[in-house]
Amino acid sequence: TDDLRQMALIQHNDEKIRFQQQVDNAKAYVLPFIEEAFKLSPNLHILDIGCGDGGVMLPFLELGIKATGIELDQQKAGFAKQFLSDYITTGQAEIINLNIYEAEALEKYKEQFDLIILKDVIEHIFDQDKFIPYLKQFLKPGGRVYFGFPPWYMPHGGHQQVCQHKVLAALPYYHLLPVPLYRFILKSFGESEPVIKELLEIKSTGISIERFERLVLQNNYTIEAKKHYLINPIYKYKFGWEPKEQFGLIKQIPFIRNFFTTCVYYVIKK
């Protein structure tokens, strides 16, 4: 409906609302999930890759944990610095506008972190088969990585909710069409070139549950915890929908589960 679409788009245009949604979701769902596998304490140092506006970091900072956020988008990094300014002033937090692949990042942060967080990030990263093993270099021995992402084949796995045309923003699964047809539909409905470019990039980097687990195991990580959601917890703050874990039977069916799972959480161990 138009009301749901407007609610979804608010967070794209209002950084304060977006930040608060991230904070609420991290506090209620992300942090407790991580704690099921990994005891959080103030002596830890975490790295939030693709930290955006910094909302996921705040609940960890409130526990006294030291946190570094790395964000490639300069504007979002600027918002994070504003929202977390009190923690940055005391030295408990820092926000850096840098590409994680740059030599400078690895030189400064090699084996510095107990926990790395990637919330809604891995599905945007190219060369995931290189990136997942690369993360190990930033972890202390026994360090963990948290991933939260929407499987590519889920109804809006293409992030098409960013479309300006309300039909395209609401329409499920059409991101799975071949690239020429997908591009033709987006262009026919009047989407701008920057939006089309963004959506085609996501189409090239979207990741399935099976591919993610295969990459994790191939690179000698251990999966310590996982949770699959029929209804993504963030939808509670975007749409008012109560989160719901995926049904046991569907969760066990490879490939098919991707189409009906809107979000997955994982903690993996080095």
Side-chain angles (χ1 to χ4, degrees):
T1 67
D2 285 349
D3 287 345
L4 287 179
R5 171 171 155 72
Q6 287 167 5
M7 285 175 68
L9 288 178
I10 284 173
Q11 55 109 11
H12 292 298
N13 302 313
D14 190 320
E15 65 276 4
K16 290 181 180 176
I17 290 175
R18 191 168 61 227
F19 174 79
Q20 194 57 51
Q21 287 178 349
Q22 294 168 4
V23 171
D24 293 342
N25 185 66
K27 191 175 293 188
Y29 296 97
V30 175
L31 194 148
F33 171 76
I34 292 171
E35 278 225 291
E36 289 176 16
F38 184 51
K39 181 65 178 171
L40 297 173
S41 60
N43 64 328
L44 300 179
H45 190 185
I46 69 168
L47 173 65
D48 187 351
I49 298 176
C51 68
D53 308 297
V56 175
M57 293 171 64
L58 183 58
F60 294 89
L61 291 166
E62 289 175 343
L63 291 177
I65 294 170
K66 187 177 180 184
T68 296
I70 187 164
E71 175 54 54
L72 200 53
D73 186 305
Q74 194 165 1
Q75 186 180 42
K76 287 183 178 179
F79 289 141
K81 287 176 182 178
Q82 290 176 34
F83 293 135
L84 302 177
S85 59
D86 290 348
Y87 294 97
I88 292 170
T89 301
T90 64
Q92 189 186 339
E94 66 172 338
I95 302 294
I96 51 175
N97 181 216
L98 193 66
N99 188 324
I100 192 71
Y101 276 125
E102 288 182 32
E104 181 187 340
L106 190 55
E107 278 176 28
K108 186 174 181 181
Y109 296 112
K110 189 176 176 68
E111 296 187 350
Q112 291 294 305
F113 301 101
D114 302 282
L115 173 67
I116 296 175
I117 293 171
L118 292 108
K119 179 71 174 71
D120 296 325
V121 170
I122 190 65
E123 75 273 21
H124 296 279
I125 290 178
F126 292 95
D127 297 324
Q128 292 151 351
D129 56 336
K130 295 177 184 177
F131 179 74
I132 287 176
Y134 175 68
L135 289 173
K136 285 184 181 180
Q137 298 183 75
F138 294 90
L139 288 171
K140 294 178 183 177
R144 270 74 165 187
V145 188
Y146 160 83
F147 291 88
F149 65 92
W152 166 248
Y153 295 100
M154 76 95 160
H156 289 83
H159 290 49
Q160 59 265 46
Q161 65 271 16
V162 303
C163 290
Q164 293 303 304
H165 197 287
K166 62 183 181 182
V167 171
L168 291 187
L171 194 65
Y173 295 119
Y174 72 98
H175 63 291
L176 303 176
L177 293 168
V179 169
L181 184 53
Y182 187 39
R183 184 198 296 272
F184 174 77
I185 291 171
L186 293 169
K187 202 159 188 172
S188 298
F189 278 83
E191 293 301 325
S192 67
E193 278 305 318
V195 168
I196 293 173
K197 182 175 181 287
E198 179 185 350
L199 293 177
L200 290 178
E201 279 185 2
I202 293 167
K203 187 170 177 65
S204 69
T205 58
I207 188 166
S208 69
I209 295 169
E210 290 73 31
R211 183 164 182 270
F212 172 78
E213 291 192 355
R214 187 167 64 249
L215 286 174
V216 164
L217 298 175
Q218 281 174 354
N219 288 289
N220 300 313
Y221 291 94
T222 302
I223 296 173
E224 286 198 309
K226 64 180 174 179
K227 191 170 284 188
H228 295 179
Y229 284 96
L230 175 66
I231 300 177
N232 190 335
I234 197 70
Y235 292 171
K236 180 176 182 178
Y237 308 102
K238 290 183 179 181
F239 310 125
W241 298 349
E242 278 302 310
K244 185 173 182 58
E245 285 189 49
Q246 185 55 274
F247 297 106
L249 178 61
I250 292 177
K251 190 165 58 176
Q252 302 305 319
I253 307 174
F255 187 58
I256 298 299
R257 59 188 174 180
N258 288 270
F259 292 88
F260 307 102
T261 303
T262 59
C263 174
V264 293
Y265 285 3
Y266 284 85
V267 170
I268 67 173
K269 183 179 180 180
K270 181 177 176 178

